[in-house]
Every structure is written in structure tokens, then in C-alpha cells.
Amino acid sequence: MKLVTGNDLESGDVVWWTGDGWSRHVADAVDAGHAGESIAATEEAARRVNSPYVIDATATADGPRPAHIKDRIRAAGPTVRPDLGVRPADANRGEWVI
Amino acid sequence: MYKYDEYDQAIVDARVGEFRDQVNRRISGEMSEDQFKPLRLMNGLYLQLHAYMLRVAVPYGTMDARQMHMLATIARKYDKGYGHFTTRQNIQYNWIKLDQAPDILAELATVEMHAIQTSGNCIRNISSDQFAGAAADEVEDPRPWAELLRQWSTFHPEFSYLPRKFKIAVIGAEEDRAAVKLHDIGLQLYRNDAGEVGFRLFAGGGMGRTPMIAPVIREWLPKGDLLSYVESCLRVYNRYGRRDNMYKARIKILVHEIGAAEYARQVEEEWAHVKTLGLDPPASEFERIAGYFAPPAYDADLPDTVDRTDPDFTLWIDQNVSAHKQPGYAVVTISLKPAEGIPGDASADQIDLMADLADKYGHDELRVTHAQNIVLPHVRKRDLHTIWQALEGAGLATPNLDLISDIIACPGLDYCSLANARSIPLAQKIAGRFADLDRQRDVGELKLKISGCINACGHHHAGHIGILGVDRKGEENYQLSFGGSAAEDTSLAKIIGPGFNEDGVVDAVEKAVETYRGLRTEGERFLDTYRRVGLAPFKEAIYG
Ligand code: SF4
């Protein structure tokens, strides 16, 4: 599957395209199919998100899992500071990244 | 410590106002990211993996307690309660919100700090010896010269759009604690046979994807000619640096391509003209600046001994305390490399505590080191025990300076958008493998440096052991190199063979260390043994 991701303009937070907006949780991300690049272009032009780009991901029971470790770290937060991540209470978060 | 005059303050305040307006225009949608990006970078604001990152300049790594307290305040008020001290003697905040960035800069301006020229193709923050003004082996304090260069380079109109970024370091001692030969320009104050002090100027060094050791461009430069000569060096580079290819745009490529002698010839030719322009300040102006760096009012007749009855305290003294030029005084290096910690990170409370100690016991001065530690440059030996106890209570008394766990590590893939691999977890694993302090001390000085990509912010080229993170088909992989040094015996580390995964590189480092222990002769460091015996026995032990 293809996801669209970027950073929120004001907060800089990592955000994921949900089909009708942006979420901080990768679990909310939807498959953008072939529309990824045009969604990214439209959203960037509308100043709703910073530097969006399209990535590969796989659908899992826990939601989409980005193909590249960089995007998994973006989705979960720094591996060395689990307390600061998006899912601080999730004990399996580290395994999900690696 | 230098104090801003009305001009310094006015330009910094004006810059805050200008940036606030730019941020407002970006948030309102008036400006695109393409338009805004160069403007935010000029103010040290990057967009990293998780958020905006703000890099704040610490001029030549020197601060007073008030400034250090402000760094803690910013960490607490605008970030997630911590900051990261960098190999450029600066501090970075990882979780900055765009709309708050101008407020942060406004707060910094109240303590004479800013984030100007911490990014972009300009002359960056000048770096220096963290022991400047205190080191027993110093010929002259380099900081007044670093300050002069700071004033000259700040908003220098001709050098705001160089072919690439430009880094200058200044030292005043034989021992090189600032890696001068790995800078675009390195300056070393030394005394000649006639007893005069002047500069030796190196140019064309650097790390990054094409590491090079800077050759000497001028063996002797009278101090009063510093600005005109450095201006001439920059002019030649600005004219001929490779703007067509960002990977070849640093001065090191120019100096390498045309040769040091030809570069020096062109600089001399340029200088013949620049020297006549009146750029070098009159002696009175330099004296004004130097006056701010007068030595603190040392107490005379202090005891020059330390009570060594407490073994833990003694361990810390032996490892983290250095000789001061003034009897009765010492230089303290506070390690930001505790076991399981993140190299260079400090919490707001720890930053406040270090500021308090500087205020109470350290003549109101602190330094940031390029090895990501903090220095109290002037402390009375009789206060060392009290300082140690306070540091111990805050997790800041790790006695590991220059040992294998005193690792330089860049933020890597945990934070940095350019990274290929994580640096910090690897640093933690290696430090964990060598957790036994007796073993570390037996191994002795071993500078291990990790970068998460070829940009080499973690100085891996200059590590006795250097590690570079690479991306191998989407997996983190690490290249190991040996034999680098950033000290006066500068050398570049060489890759030893195929790379490893994270656990593999930890094992390989351990094998290398044990090989060294088996081969060393009396007094040899890892680096010395490696230089004497070469790579073969290490390679045999690792790849077998
Ligand atoms: S070396 Fe690379 S990964 Fe590390 S901080 Fe620099 S740019 Fe980022």
C-alpha cells in the first residue's frame, strides 16, 4: 500500500493522510493508491502540511507498517526515548520499529 | 566573557523581529516552504524527522551561568525538557514548534544569544579549545581572536552565500583540543623562536564525504593581520569554490584540486590588496575585546592539593579533572555520557545544576566541548569535592572522560532526516559492553566516534575507532574504521573491511580492544598500537 506523510506546518509533528485530513497516528493512515503524489501536491499547495511525500507500507493487523525504518521511526518516535513517542505506553513499540 | 555592545544587541533584536514576520507569513500561507526554508535555516531552524529542530549558537563554546540557565528554560518551556549538546559546541532542541521559534529567539536575545549562522552556506559559529584561558599548556587565550572573528563574520555581506558552509576553529596551545586541521580554516597561536606570538593558518580540512587534513597555508601570520588574511582566504574560496556541485563545494576540494601552494599564492595576491583596505581593527579595538577575557580574579595562596581519601571521588578527579595554569585551581569536565544515556543530552534540571555550579564555584563560566561534554574551566581545588557531590546527585559524575564510553555520537536516525542508521543505540550498546569501569580504565584513552551518515557530524573519520552508519537495502549497517585522530597528531581513520549489523559491530569493537590489549607495549594507547602494528592483527581477530 502507499501512504502519504509529512510534517504538520505549525507543530512540525509527523502526520499521515487519512483520506480526508491528517492524523498523528500511522494507524489512521489510508492507502492512497495511485493518488499519493497529487494528494501531496494539493495539500502542500494548500499549506496544510510540510514537505509531504509518498511511501510504501504493508497492511498489518495493527494497521499500516511503513516499509522503511526511517518512516517507522517517524511513526513511533525516537527509539531511544520511548517516553516521547506517539505511543509511549505501547510495550511492543520497539519491536514494531525494528 | 564578551558582553554585547549596542550594535551587537541591535542586530540580534532586529533579526528576531524579522524572523517573526517571516514565520507569520509562512503560517498564514503567504509563503511556501520553498520560499521559507532558506529563511528559517538562516535562523538555525531545521525540519527533522519528528519536528522542527533549533540549533542555538554557543560562541566558541563559551557561556556564563545566566546563558546556561536560559538554555534550561528553553528546554523546559518550549521543548520536551532537554537539549542536545553537539560536536560543533552548540545546543540543539528537537521538538520545536514553528510558531514558538521567534519567542525562543527573543528569549535568547535577552541573554546575548542567537541561532544566526548555525546553518546555511555561511561562516558558522567559530569553535575553539574548551580549556581556553585555563589550560596549563596555553601560549595565549584564543577566545579574543575567536570573538573578533565572530564579529567580523556575523552578517558579513560578502560571505552570506558561500559555495558551501564554512567552519573556523582557533586554538592557543600545542595540544589540539579543537580539531583545527579538520576545519575549513584552522588557526593556531604559537610562539616563534623570537618569542613573538602569531598564527599558523591551516585551510582546506574537513570531514564529511571527502575527509581531508588541512595543509598549512601560512606558517606565520602576525596577529594584527588576522582579519584581512582570513578575508583573503574566503575571497579566493568564494570566487573559485565549486558552486556547480554541492559535493565538491567545500574549500577542501578547491585547495586539493589546485594544490595548497597555488591556493596560498592566490591568497597572498588577494591579501596584498585586502591589507590596504583598513579591515584589521586598531589595537585599541582588539584590546577592548580582549579586556572581556581577562582572567578571573583568582584567589592567591589556595591549597594546591586534593583530599584523595574517598575512592569514588578520586576516580573522578583522575579521569575528569585537568591541570589549570593557576595553582590551587583545576578544570572540570562534566561527562554527558552516563551509562545508558544519550551522548550530549542533558535535561533542563541538569543544565540548571551545571549553571548553578558555574555561578557558585566556577567564576561564572562554562564551556561546551566538541566531544559533547561540559567544562567548568576555573574551579578551586578545594571546591572539587562539593562539585563532585552535586554532580553525582544529578547523574553527571560519570568518570569516563576520553575512555571508550565517552562516545561522540550524532543524533542519527532517531532524530535526523539525513541519517542512514541510528547512532545513539549503538553508542549505548558499546558503552554497555564496556560497562565495567576498571576495564575501561585499563583500556585507557580510546576515542570512539559514530556518525549516522556520510556527513560525519559524529566525527567518525577522526575516531581512534570510527563507525559510520550506512543503509544496506533498507537495513542499518555499520562500517568500522580505525586510526583516526582529531588531536595535534591528526589522522583519518581507514575502513577495515565489510560492514556489520548493530550487534556485529559491538562484537567487532570488543575484539579490536582485546587485540590491542594483547599487543600493546607499556604506555601505548589503542591508537599508538594500531599505528605501530597496522591493521592485519585486528582484521584477523575480527574477520578471522
Ligand atoms: S552525521 Fe548524518 S545522521 Fe548524523 S547528524 Fe549529521 S547529517 Fe544527521
Side-chain angles (χ1 to χ4, degrees), chain A:
Chain A
M1 62 192 295
K2 301 277 185 193
L3 308 183
V4 188
T5 180
N7 291 74
D8 181 68
L9 175 59
E10 277 190 57
S11 67
D13 288 350
V14 175
V15 289
W16 306 88
W17 177 246
T18 64
D20 58 1
W22 296 92
S23 167
R24 284 167 172 73
H25 299 276
V26 70
D28 298 335
V30 297
D31 186 359
H34 297 296
E37 299 295 345
S38 72
I39 293 168
T42 310
E43 290 294 305
E44 175 148 53
R47 311 284 196 259
R48 283 188 286 264
V49 71
N50 210 342
S51 309
Y53 60 102
V54 181
I55 63 163
D56 288 319
T58 47
T60 73
D62 297 329
R65 184 172 191 270
H68 198 279
I69 183 172
K70 177 178 282 190
D71 294 305
R72 295 198 293 279
I73 290 176
R74 290 179 69 249
T79 63
V80 289
R81 289 297 302 262
D83 56 317
L84 303 180
V86 184
R87 295 149 47 189
D90 181 350
N92 295 324
R93 184 180 150 281
E95 284 161 39
W96 184 84
V97 172
I98 313 304

Side-chain angles (χ1 to χ4, degrees), chain B residues 62 128-144 172-173 177 293-296 298 323-326 331 365 367 377-378:
Chain B
T62 297
S128 187
D129 182 351
Q130 69 269 19
F131 291 176
D137 66 337
E138 188 168 88
V139 172
E140 186 176 311
D141 189 343
R143 289 172 303 156
R177 287 171 286 259
F293 298 94
Y298 296 122
H324 196 287
K325 61 183 174 192
Q326 179 73 14
V331 183
E365 258 200 62
R367 309 282 170 76
H378 313 290

Side-chain angles (χ1 to χ4, degrees), chain B residues 18 40 56 71 79 108 142 219 224 226 295 306 314 339 352 392 434 452 459 501 509 530 535:
Chain B
E18 181 185 64
R40 69 168 159 76
V56 177
L71 298 185
D79 202 272
L108 286 169
E219 183 60 36
L226 177 69
V306 178
T314 304
D352 270 336
E392 179 86 342
F434 290 90
H459 295 186
N501 65 16
V509 166
Y530 171 79
L535 179 58

Side-chain angles (χ1 to χ4, degrees), chain B residues 203-216:
Chain B
M207 292 190 249
R209 80 177 50 226
T210 319
M212 287 187 189
I213 297 172
V216 175

Side-chain angles (χ1 to χ4, degrees), chain B residues 41-175:
Chain B
L41 288 177
M42 283 181 191
N43 293 284
L45 194 66
Y46 289 72
L47 183 62
Q48 292 289 21
L49 286 189
H50 310 290
Y52 293 98
M53 178 273 276
L54 182 69
R55 181 179 299 151
V56 177
V58 180
Y60 31 94
T62 297
M63 275 182 292
D64 61 20
R66 185 181 62 130
Q67 293 172 317
M68 188 76 161
H69 277 306
M70 178 55 81
L71 298 185
T73 300
I74 288 165
R76 206 174 273 124
K77 196 164 156 189
Y78 300 100
D79 202 272
K80 298 198 178 193
Y82 69 106
H84 175 74
F85 290 98
T86 77
T87 54
R88 294 282 309 145
Q89 300 180 287
N90 292 324
I91 186 168
Q92 294 179 177
Y93 296 101
N94 294 307
W95 303 93
I96 297 302
K97 299 200 183 323
L98 180 58
D99 57 343
Q100 293 185 340
D103 295 337
I104 299 172
L105 297 183
E107 296 224 34
L108 286 169
T110 66
V111 296
E112 305 176 13
M113 295 183 90
H114 59 68
I116 296 162
Q117 290 178 209
T118 59
S119 174
N121 293 336
C122 53
I123 300 171
R124 302 289 187 89
N125 187 30
I126 312 294
S127 53
S128 187
D129 182 351
Q130 69 269 19
F131 291 176
D137 66 337
E138 188 168 88
V139 172
E140 186 176 311
D141 189 343
R143 289 172 303 156
W145 300 103
E147 173 57 28
L148 187 66
L149 287 164
R150 185 195 72 81
Q151 296 190 18
W152 160 81
S153 61
T154 301
F155 296 138
H156 193 309
E158 196 176 320
F159 305 139
S160 294
Y161 292 94
L162 292 167
R164 222 31 202 106
K165 58 186 164 183
F166 204 93
K167 300 174 182 176
I168 302 177
V170 197
I171 61 170
E174 260 317 299
E175 188 175 340

